[in-house]
Amino acid sequence: AISLLPVNVPLPIALARMSRVLKITRALRMMTAFPELRVMLRGLVLSFKTFGWGVIMLTLLLAFWGILAVLFIRPVVRELDQEGYWQEYKCPHCANAFASVESSMLMLGEQLIVGDGWGQINSPIMARRPWTQVYFVTVAAVMIL
């Protein structure tokens, strides 16, 4: 004989599981009753693919700019740190902002995506080495667009 209830599961838990299945079937019936709801949900599900590709592209761009930051910006940050600028400026995390690709990605993401700390770290770097303005403006332009 075939039973709908699993053998080793107590009756209240099995009934709760069956009620969840009934709720799902009721939701599916509502989707067929309201075609607009089905279209909206289909659009939402299809947008997840686009969102996922956007996150991947953003991560790859941040990695690219992070590698360049470690190569070109890190020496300027280290120079400012050796002169004691970051301690005087009361920015303990600034000395390690571009120490690795991961920290560079985090710092650029914080600055460009969240919009926090742009002047705290970038302004002293750009004041010390004006050519870094080209890097930061290019990164901002590419990431914002």
Side-chain angles (χ1 to χ4, degrees), residues 2-128:
I2 297 175
S3 172
L4 292 176
L5 300 176
V7 178
N8 296 332
V9 179
L11 186 62
I13 295 174
L15 290 175
R17 288 182 181 170
M18 286 178 54
S19 70
R20 280 191 230 142
V21 171
L22 293 174
K23 287 179 183 179
I24 291 172
T25 57
R26 184 173 49 187
L28 291 174
R29 270 189 273 139
M30 284 184 70
M31 283 183 50
T32 58
F34 300 106
E36 295 86 5
L37 179 62
R38 185 175 52 234
V39 169
M40 285 175 48
L41 289 176
R42 185 172 185 268
L44 178 67
V45 169
L46 291 176
S47 69
F48 286 139
K49 181 180 176 184
T50 305
F51 178 74
W53 282 112
V55 168
I56 290 170
M57 187 178 82
L58 184 65
T59 304
L60 290 174
L61 281 171
L62 279 174
F64 172 75
W65 293 115
I67 291 168
L68 291 179
V70 170
L71 291 173
F72 299 114
I73 306 300
R74 175 66 185 152
V76 181
V77 172
R78 195 175 313 137
E79 182 182 315
L80 288 168
D81 187 38
Q82 289 172 351
E83 294 176 6
Y85 184 83
W86 302 121
Q87 289 79 20
E88 181 182 312
Y89 197 57
K90 294 186 175 45
C91 182
H93 72 279
C94 293
N96 297 320
F98 297 102
S100 66
V101 175
E102 294 85 10
S103 64
S104 297
M105 289 174 64
L106 182 64
M107 183 56 59
L108 291 171
E110 179 183 328
Q111 291 176 344
L112 298 170
I113 297 170
V114 179
D116 186 31
W118 179 265
Q120 185 178 21
I121 295 175
N122 294 359
S123 292
I125 294 170
M126 290 187 289
R128 174 59 58 103

